[in-house]
Amino acid sequence: MSKTIFGRRRAAGLLMSTVLAVALAGCGTADEQTAGPTSSGGLTTVKLQLQWFVQAQFAGFLAAADQGFYAEQGLDVQILEGGVDIVPQTVLAQGQADYAVAWVPKALASREQGVGITEVAQIFQRSGTYQVSFANKNITSPADLRGKKVGNWGFGNEFELFAAMTKAGLDPGKDVTLVQQQFDMQALLTGDIDAAQAMSYNEYAQLLEAKDPATGELYKPEAFAVLDWNTVGTAMLQDAVWANTERLSDPAYQETTVKFLAGTLKGWAFCRDNPEKCRDIVVAKGSKLGASHQLWQMNEVNKLIWPSPNGAGLLDEAAWNATVDLSMTTKNQDGQTVLTKKPEGTAYTNEYVQKAIDQLTAAGTDVVGSGFTPATVTLTEGGA
């Protein structure tokens, strides 16, 4: 991915972020993004940069802070909300945060351009990206997108879609009409596009929170067809925790990293077992969309994490290699790829998360979640 591409995406991202910021007017924030002390009340201060606004996508981190799991590790974790013009991996590399949450392909693209970051934990074990259409469009496979108006967000979020179309023998630049999509589902609902990008835990729920004008009731899942990249075989790794590569040579930072990951994984385990409490934590922190939406999101995010047969947070090398391969071989409509070469240096390590897993396991915390069973969540209009 060239700097030009990045620059164009960044500019467009600013515009979309601004639009979303307006939409989220009144949205609360996580902890304030101000410089903090290096210690507080005997605790070591740690700053975590999220990649977007407060929502259940980040519930495990918020719960770890709320429930005192970070404090148990001797940490005072300040959670920095993402949003307008915030690139988490850049914030991390510039020393304004100690850790950051970012999708793997986008973080690797930044890394290829010289950003010194290393993945230290893979929170989401599966992709949460869908391509959704109305069922009567008969789009049941990527090949069915031929000749359709296909929405996508861009900014590096489109490569799973592009990989799927390429795998199906479609040229994304010729065989479909690509439409820049806002971070909502209005274009699909109004019929301006035939298929829309959606996260399983967010925009897809927004469809089910909307009223079907034909019935006056909320849409049912059967009204839509979903392309899931995990099933298609073009899924890429998403939410991961990144650390500063250079600082990982410091024993103190190494120790803090293990502690931070132990508190974080305990937070995610808590949210697996207590989704309603984590919903309340997220809503109390100021999420714009309401309680039913956040409970749906919590349930869907848990599906992306649990079960984790090797332990939550541990990076699966096969999934990593698949993500890198797609990042190097999948071209967007401009002929650009996410990466031009394999990541160099220490792009990831399981060293610290394994120590965190071992610590939690010894203390009796279930970090595998083999018994996890998703709930059935009832959505209300507008996600209230």
Side-chain angles (χ1 to χ4, degrees), residues 258-278:
V258 174
K259 292 178 177 179
F260 172 71
L261 294 178
T264 296
L265 298 182
K266 190 171 181 179
W268 282 113
F270 178 83
C271 288
R272 176 196 63 212
D273 299 333
N274 302 273
E276 291 85 2
K277 289 184 179 179
C278 285

Side-chain angles (χ1 to χ4, degrees), residues 121-245:
Q122 182 62 48
I123 303 300
F124 287 7
Q125 298 291 316
R126 303 159 194 94
S127 169
T129 310
Y130 289 165
Q131 200 73 19
V132 184
S133 58
F134 277 105
N136 59 14
K137 294 286 185 180
N138 297 316
I139 300 173
T140 59
S141 73
D144 296 328
L145 293 170
R146 183 186 297 275
K148 304 295 186 183
K149 293 181 180 177
V150 180
N152 70 94
W153 296 316
F155 321 126
N157 298 303
E158 74 277 24
F159 280 90
E160 291 170 300
L161 165 67
F162 279 51
M165 289 193 288
T166 302
K167 185 178 180 181
L170 303 184
D171 182 339
K174 297 179 180 178
D175 293 329
V176 302
T177 300
L178 297 169
V179 179
Q180 184 72 54
Q181 181 186 329
Q182 298 294 328
F183 283 101
D184 59 42
M185 303 305 280
Q186 287 306 306
L188 183 72
L189 290 170
T190 58
D192 290 340
I193 58 177
D194 298 305
Q197 193 166 6
M199 301 309 297
S200 60
Y201 50 79
N202 197 358
E203 290 80 11
Y204 180 60
Q206 293 175 29
L207 290 175
L208 304 177
E209 295 162 357
K211 273 190 175 180
D212 181 349
T215 65
E217 299 180 350
L218 298 185
Y219 281 109
K220 306 293 185 185
E222 51 267 31
F224 303 100
V226 172
L227 299 180
D228 181 345
W229 306 136
N230 295 292
T231 304
V232 172
T234 58
M236 301 170 82
L237 290 170
Q238 299 183 343
D239 291 36
V241 176
W242 297 82
N244 183 295
T245 304

